Amino acid sequence: MDRTGVEAGAPDRSRSGDSDPSPVAPGAFDTFRDGWETEIGDGFPLPTFSPATVRDFRVKSRATTVGDVAVTDLHGASAIRTEGPLNGVEDQVRMYVVRSGSWSLGAPLARDEQTVPAGQFLIRHIGKPLHFETVPDTRAKVLVLPAATLRPLLGERQSVGGPADSAEVRLLVAHANMLYETAADLGPAGVQAAHGALIELAKAVARRRVDDTEPQLALALAQAAKDLADNHLTDPELSGTMLARELNVSVRSLQRAFAAAGESVTAYIRQRRLEEARLALTAPSGRLTVSELAAHWQFADSSHFIRAFKKHYGRTPTDYARSTTSAGN
C-alpha cells in the first residue's frame, strides 16, 4: 500500500517513584510485528530485536507511508535494542527527531556510533544496516527517506544534526503529523504533493534553512502567509516579521517566497486592507467615516489612507463612496 497507518503495541503505562512497571500485555510484540508486516512492512522490514526487548515490549507506535517515504512515531516505555547479524546494503537516509530519552545508532563504542539525545534531530545516510538502542521512555519520530535525493546534501559528512525545535524541523514534523489524518483519503495527486512536500522539507532541514529557491515550496509558503495575513488585517502587529514568526521561517525566506511571484509582503498587506476598506465604503448601511476606516484598517492616519486609496483606485475614498451611491440611485 502506498499510504497507510498502523498503531500497535502495549498501551502507555504511567510510572512514578521506584514502583514496578505495569505488566507487559500478553503478545504485545507479536501484535506489533504482525501489524507492521501487514500494513507497511513491504519495503520497510523490521530488524531483529533482542530477546530482552521482545519479553518486555511496552511500545506504542504509529506509522504511515507515502510512496518511498515512511514516517513512524514511537514511544517506548521499555528499552529497545536490536541485535544479530547485519548483512546486505541499506541505501537510505533516515531522520530521527527525539523528544525524550535517547536513540543510539551503531554498536556501542563503535567508531560510527551516534546518540541522538532528547531535543535533537539527526539526518544520516545509512549505507549498511545498523543496530539501534533506546533508553526507557524514549519518544521519537523516524523518517525513512530516499537516498538519491537526500544523500547529495550531506556531502562527506554522512550526517547532520541540530536542535529539534528549529523552524525547519518543526515545519517538517507538522507536515508529517498531518499525514496520519489525511493519507488514507488522498487521491493520486494528493499523494504526489504530500510526498514532494516531505522531500522538500527534509532537504530544507538538511540544508539547515528553508530552501525557498524551490518554486513549489516558495508558492506554498507565500500562500500560507497570505491566508494568515487575511485573517489578521485589522491587527496592528501584522507585518512580514509577524507572519514569518507565526510560520516558523525567516523574514528573508518569506520575502523571497513573495518575490518569486513578483510581489512583496508589505504591498500585499496594504492592497488587502485597501480592498476591504473599499468594500466597506460600498456597504448599504452603517458606513464608517474616512477617519474610522483609516484607524480600523491600521493606516497611520486619514491622510495616509486617502493618498494610498487614491493611488490604488484613482479617486479619494469620499469620491468613490459618492460615485457608488449615485450609481445605485
Side-chain angles (χ1 to χ4, degrees):
M1 299 174 67
D2 281 342
R3 59 204 192 275
T4 184
V6 56
E7 183 169 347
D12 283 334
R13 308 292 187 183
S14 60
R15 304 166 73 175
S16 61
D18 296 325
S19 61
D20 292 334
S22 300
V24 179
F29 178 76
D30 292 337
T31 301
F32 171 82
R33 181 193 57 205
D34 293 345
W36 181 278
E37 292 178 351
T38 299
E39 299 294 339
I40 66 171
D42 188 20
F44 303 97
L46 282 174
T48 300
F49 293 98
S50 69
T53 297
V54 173
R55 284 194 303 269
D56 183 26
F57 197 78
R58 289 170 290 126
V59 178
K60 289 191 69 175
S61 72
R62 61 176 181 171
T64 188
T65 62
V66 182
D68 57 359
V69 176
V71 181
T72 302
D73 278 88
L74 178 146
H75 175 208
S78 57
I80 304 172
R81 183 166 60 87
T82 62
E83 64 176 32
L86 297 172
N87 301 309
V89 177
E90 194 168 79
D91 191 23
Q92 297 174 337
V93 168
R94 293 183 192 166
M95 178 176 179
Y96 305 84
V97 183
V98 180
R99 291 183 291 163
S100 66
S102 66
W103 192 296
S104 297
L105 297 166
L109 304 180
R111 291 179 57 189
D112 61 352
E113 183 192 19
Q114 284 183 289
T115 296
V116 190
Q120 296 288 306
F121 81 89
L122 176 74
I123 297 180
R124 174 166 172 165
H125 175 241
I126 309 295
K128 60 181 180 180
L130 285 176
H131 283 304
F132 72 85
E133 183 173 359
T134 70
V135 300
D137 199 29
T138 292
R139 295 175 182 265
K141 182 184 293 292
V142 182
L143 291 88
V144 179
L145 303 157
T149 303
L150 277 300
R151 173 66 181 86
L153 299 180
L154 301 177
E156 297 180 357
R157 294 172 296 177
Q158 297 295 314
S159 65
V160 63
D165 63 353
S166 69
E168 294 87 349
V169 176
R170 288 157 59 192
L171 192 59
L172 172 58
V173 167
H175 177 64
N177 287 341
M178 287 180 60
L179 293 177
Y180 292 120
E181 307 298 328
T182 60
D185 299 321
L186 293 176
V191 171
Q192 183 178 0
H195 178 273
L198 273 175
I199 298 300
E200 295 306 327
L201 291 170
K203 287 165 62 178
V205 173
R207 292 186 174 107
R208 295 197 178 202
R209 63 180 177 84
V210 173
D211 187 6
D212 49 32
T213 63
E214 294 288 347
Q216 291 184 344
L217 187 57
L219 290 174
L221 177 57
Q223 187 58 54
K226 289 178 179 180
D227 292 342
L228 185 60
D230 287 348
N231 291 325
H232 291 81
L233 291 175
T234 61
D235 188 340
E237 300 299 320
L238 179 59
S239 65
T241 301
M242 187 203 93
L243 294 173
R245 182 177 66 248
E246 292 296 318
L247 293 169
N248 298 320
V249 298
S250 69
V251 175
R252 185 180 181 187
S253 294
L254 187 61
Q255 291 171 338
R256 286 182 174 179
F258 273 78
E263 299 178 289
S264 75
V265 181
T266 301
Y268 178 80
I269 293 173
R270 174 174 290 191
Q271 180 266 326
R272 286 291 293 114
R273 282 173 165 169
L274 286 171
E275 183 178 352
E276 292 298 326
R278 179 187 65 80
L279 292 174
L281 284 169
T282 62
S285 62
R287 292 180 183 174
L288 299 176
T289 66
V290 171
S291 296
E292 289 170 335
L293 284 171
H296 185 75
W297 298 109
Q298 301 304 317
F299 288 88
D301 52 43
S302 298
S303 297
H304 282 85
F305 172 59
I306 293 170
R307 285 197 298 271
F309 192 96
K310 185 175 182 180
K311 181 177 181 180
H312 194 75
Y313 292 107
R315 62 185 71 183
T316 67
T318 300
D319 289 342
Y320 184 88
R322 186 182 297 117
S323 67
T324 56
T325 300
S326 300
N329 292 334

